[in-house]
Amino acid sequence: FGNSLTAAYGLDVEEGFPNRIQLKIDSLNLDYTVINSGLSGETTAGGLNRLDWVLSQKVDVFVLELGGNDGLRGIPLAETRKNLQAIIDMVRSKNPETEIVLAGMQIPPNLGTDYTTEFKNIYPDLAKKNEVALIPFLLEGVAGIPELNLEDGIHPTVEGQKIVAETVWQVLKPILK
């Protein structure tokens, strides 16, 4: 459940990390189906507004990858935090058994050190508070490396998506039974 990073912006959806996770799941004969609920341009507020639709089906594991667009747009950090918390609360209220994985995000420092640092800290703070699994930084090993990103410098290339899939898999694998 995310934004353009989950939706594999600029690539065929099969090349994105959600599909690569499905391939890993299939290779291990695990009984899970990945539903790619990525929407380009999505903010935490937009995600909160469309969450009911996603939760209309049973969800065993919910990977929450939102907030990057909030940070790039300079949305107040309290609002981003509140929306992410509301999403976690809605997932839990719909099905308390759902395992939640929160994908941490970082943003460039153009909005200042205080904003950038506090933005980065939202994710570990919420993961700890809610006792959910945390991917420390979704784009670890990809962000800032030109050859692993499209020309916009934000969205991973096919090779970048492979690295993102491995980053997600390291946190997701122990959760899948």
Side-chain angles (χ1 to χ4, degrees):
F1 186 74
N3 55 39
S4 57
L5 298 173
T6 296
Y9 174 86
L11 306 174
D12 289 335
V13 73
E14 296 82 27
E15 296 171 320
F17 78 85
N19 189 61
R20 293 183 185 285
I21 296 294
Q22 184 67 65
L23 295 173
K24 288 180 181 285
I25 287 170
D26 293 348
S27 74
L28 296 170
N29 294 315
L30 297 172
D31 190 23
Y32 292 92
T33 301
V34 174
I35 307 294
N36 185 338
S37 295
L39 181 62
S40 289
E42 189 74 286
T43 61
T44 57
L48 186 56
N49 288 335
R50 72 180 172 101
L51 187 57
D52 269 338
W53 177 80
V54 172
L55 295 178
S56 65
Q57 55 201 322
K58 184 174 181 330
V59 178
D60 294 311
V61 180
F62 186 87
V63 179
L64 175 52
E65 180 274 307
L66 282 175
N69 287 319
D70 293 40
L72 293 175
R73 295 174 188 178
I75 290 174
L77 296 168
E79 184 177 328
T80 299
R81 183 182 297 269
K82 177 181 65 94
N83 290 337
L84 288 170
Q85 183 63 59
I87 291 169
I88 291 168
D89 292 344
M90 272 183 77
V91 171
R92 286 220 166 116
S93 70
K94 185 77 171 179
N95 184 356
E97 303 303 311
T98 298
E99 293 282 348
I100 299 172
V101 177
L102 182 58
M105 186 49 58
Q106 297 175 25
I107 56 170
N110 57 313
L111 293 173
T113 306
D114 290 347
Y115 186 94
T116 304
T117 301
E118 190 177 336
F119 179 87
K120 177 183 175 182
N121 290 336
I122 289 172
Y123 298 92
D125 291 351
L126 286 175
K128 183 177 181 182
K129 173 184 175 186
N130 292 283
E131 298 179 355
V132 301
L134 175 68
I135 300 165
F137 179 36
L138 181 72
L139 299 176
E140 186 68 44
V142 177
I145 302 172
E147 60 270 17
L148 295 177
N149 290 278
L150 300 177
E151 288 183 18
D152 64 12
I154 295 173
H155 298 95
T157 60
V158 172
E159 286 306 310
Q161 284 280 351
K162 289 177 184 177
I163 294 168
V164 172
E166 192 53 40
T167 299
V168 173
W169 184 247
Q170 292 308 310
V171 175
L172 195 57
K173 184 180 179 184
I175 293 170
L176 303 180
K177 299 165 182 71

